[in-house]
Amino acid sequence: EERKLRTKIVQQQQERDKLMQTWSEQQEQIKDLIAQDSSRHDDAGKELRRQTKARLKDAERQVEAYTRQLEDSEAASSRSQALRTQLRALAEQALQRDAVLGEMRSTVEAQEIEAESLRERLQLVVEDIFGRA
């Protein structure tokens, strides 16, 4: 179970790193598009500026989507870490319960042995009492 959680955390971290890289690339594209847009001021460049602005808006939407994915991935990673901690605590509790159960079994066995010994002694006493009468 812990191995599965570790694998999931590693996968989420890899996904986060990939999203961060993509996000960085998108930021660079945005900077390039802004630079292209500001360098064009003539009438012939109006269409190009419009296309650049459209690409810029698309890039911004993609960045927003990647940012949301990154946040989701980080939240899932945090939840996985919390589950892992909880799993460890539960495993520790199970070990403690097993130890207590073992002690209880030992006590019961000792009591059963003592009870058997007392029954045998009682039988002897009863035989002595009724055997004399």
Side-chain angles (χ1 to χ4, degrees):
E1 185 67 28
E2 187 174 329
R3 185 178 293 167
K4 289 179 184 178
L5 289 174
R6 281 186 187 170
T7 301
K8 188 173 182 178
I9 289 170
V10 168
Q11 289 172 342
Q12 289 171 343
Q13 289 172 340
Q14 290 172 345
E15 181 182 346
R16 183 194 66 210
D17 293 344
K18 182 180 173 184
L19 291 172
M20 284 298 293
Q21 177 64 32
T22 304
W23 183 80
S24 295
E25 292 170 1
Q26 291 291 328
Q27 289 293 332
E28 288 300 316
Q29 286 181 355
I30 289 171
K31 288 178 186 177
D32 291 345
L33 292 172
I34 290 172
Q36 287 177 9
D37 186 54
S38 63
S39 68
R40 309 254 193 287
H41 292 291
D42 59 347
D43 289 340
K46 284 183 182 182
E47 178 61 22
L48 183 57
R49 279 196 305 274
R50 186 191 64 73
Q51 292 173 357
T52 301
K53 284 181 182 180
R55 288 191 316 207
L56 176 61
K57 286 185 188 246
D58 286 341
E60 287 172 343
R61 282 192 290 275
Q62 286 179 347
V63 166
E64 289 173 5
Y66 289 135
T67 300
R68 282 191 299 276
Q69 286 179 350
L70 178 60
E71 290 168 353
D72 291 346
S73 177
E74 288 174 346
S77 178
S78 177
R79 286 191 302 271
S80 293
Q81 187 64 32
L83 287 172
R84 188 172 168 197
T85 301
Q86 186 179 11
L87 182 61
R88 282 186 182 150
L90 290 172
E92 180 63 29
Q93 287 176 0
L95 288 174
Q96 290 173 356
R97 287 180 185 150
D98 285 346
V100 169
L101 185 58
E103 290 174 17
M104 291 174 70
R105 283 184 182 143
S106 294
T107 302
V108 167
E109 288 173 5
Q111 288 174 345
E112 287 174 349
I113 291 170
E114 186 177 344
E116 182 61 31
S117 175
L118 289 172
R119 278 192 287 277
E120 289 173 3
R121 285 178 45 200
L122 178 61
Q123 182 66 30
L124 291 174
V125 169
V126 167
E127 288 174 6
D128 281 349
I129 292 174
F130 289 111
R132 288 187 189 168

